[in-house]
């Protein structure tokens, strides 16, 4: 398999604080790679280092096969477009002017690409509008258009869905899928919205305290995870007792919710719950395998 990006024992220290502690990750060519992790896990730091915005304290990384800190690495970095944290846009310029300015900064010839990029990200009608009047979703898409200006082979997007309304989320999701499928652009994304990430990602990397806990393809994840029933009850302690008696496998998520992996006879379950003085408030079939996987990996309470 060819990797556009690989890291080996990558470390980043701020004073005595280790933001990255020996990160090993590999992003296959053509993938939509989702970085998942708690706040402070090191996702943004990893992206900043890989984009050359920060230097690693130790460890190595390769971009398109070239050592990241070498001269070839610097050239390879030109094949990366990125929106890390806020998209860098000039609010007093129009979307089109922002793109023309970016093309000048990159030394690209003006071939009317601003218009093409605006069309690509669905901002054709808003190209003449000042960016300060853009919605958050429009700004995010303009940020992506700016990152596309150098015709990158890898796009790095930090929390591209953050703060967007449902319509904005759909637009950005479709754009990510289109850029990957139609232009063959490899994507490295981070997102807190697991359900949303699972709609686009082909690969995942689960980060915790600056380390890679696990890398897995969406296909492997699908095979690893099973469908489950999410039960909402008055008390999961009582539910646990009932499920133990029924011999079911389950994960407690909170005081009132648990996921059950066995095929349950609902009338038997209701009876068992009655016996424990527990009320069944709701039953929902779940297929959110990414969330289940994440909870388990991060140390959710699993009872087999
Ligand atoms: P979030 O999901 O909240 O964006 P993240 O996974 O992107 O989190 P990072 O922003 O990479 O996490 O931060 C990792 C850790 O490094 C955090 O504890 C953060 O406080 C710390 N950190 C980041 N930048 C600096 C800095 N310039 N100086 C000191 N500590 C920093």
């Amino acid at each position: 398999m060819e990797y556009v990006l690989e890291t080996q024992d990558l470390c980043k220290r701020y004073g005595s604080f280790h933001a990255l502690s020996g990160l090993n990750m590999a992003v296959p060519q053509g993938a939509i790679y989702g970085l998942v992790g708690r706040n402070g896990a090191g996702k943004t730091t990893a992206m900043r280092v890989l984009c050359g915005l920060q230097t690693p304290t130790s460890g190595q990384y390769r971009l398109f096969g070239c050592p990241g800190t070498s001269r070839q690495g610097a050239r390879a970095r030109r094949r990366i477009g990125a929106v890390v944290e806020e998209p860098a846009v000039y609010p007093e310029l129009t979307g089109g002017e922002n793109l023309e300015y970016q093309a000048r900064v990159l030394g690209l010839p003006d071939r009317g690409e601003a218009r093409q990029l605006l069309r690509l990200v669905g901002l054709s009608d808003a190209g003449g509008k000042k960016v300060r009047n853009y919605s958050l979703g429009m700004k995010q898409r303009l940020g992506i258009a700016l990152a596309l200006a150098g015709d990158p082979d890898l796009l790095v997007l930090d929390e591209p869905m953050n703060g967007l309304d449902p319509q904005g989320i759909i637009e950005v999701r479709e754009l990510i899928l289109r850029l990957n499928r139609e232009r063959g652009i490899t994507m490295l994304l981070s997102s807190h919205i697991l359900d949303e990430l699972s709609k686009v990602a082909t690969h995942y990397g689960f980060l915790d305290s600056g380390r890679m806990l696990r890398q897995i393809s969406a296909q492997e994840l699908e095979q690893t995870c099973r469908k489950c029933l999410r039960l909402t009850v008055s008390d999961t302690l009582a539910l646990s007792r009932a499920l133990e008696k029924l011999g079911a496998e389950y994960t407690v998520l909170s005081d009132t919710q648990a996921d059950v992996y066995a095929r349950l006879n609902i009338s038997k379950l209701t009876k068992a719950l009655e016996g424990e003085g527990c009320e069944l408030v709701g039953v929902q079939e779940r297929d959110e395998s990414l969330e289940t996987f994440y909870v388990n990996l991060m140390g959710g309470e699993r009872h087999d």
Side-chain angles (χ1 to χ4, degrees), residues 80-83 87-89 94-103 106 108 113-124 127 131 134 137-152 155-157 160 172 175-176 178-179 183 185 187:
I80 302 181
V83 187
V89 289
T94 66
E97 287 165 347
N98 265 281
L99 281 162
E100 282 158 17
Y101 182 74
Q102 176 82 346
L106 294 174
L108 303 172
E113 273 168 17
R115 256 198 318 277
Q116 276 182 41
L117 285 172
L118 285 169
R119 197 173 329 121
L120 186 66
V121 300
L123 287 175
S124 288
V131 170
Y134 275 22
M138 290 162 78
K139 266 189 215 148
Q140 190 61 268
R141 280 183 287 143
L142 180 63
I144 296 175
L146 288 165
L148 288 169
D151 202 11
L155 203 53
V156 177
L157 304 176
V172 171
L175 179 60
I176 288 169
R178 197 147 33 87
L179 292 172
R183 296 200 156 198
I185 299 177
M187 303 270 174

Side-chain angles (χ1 to χ4, degrees), residues 2-3 6 19 28 87 91 131 136 163 178 200 224 247 261 278 283-284 292:
E2 238 178 275
Y3 297 102
E6 287 167 276
V131 170
L136 205 57
R178 197 147 33 87
V200 295
T224 307
Y261 303 94
C278 180
V283 181
Q284 192 192 2
T292 316

Side-chain angles (χ1 to χ4, degrees), residues 52-69:
L53 301 170
Q54 273 171 341
T55 44
T57 312
S58 63
Q60 276 133 36
Y61 66 101
R62 295 177 81 80
L63 305 173
F64 301 96
C66 306
T69 45

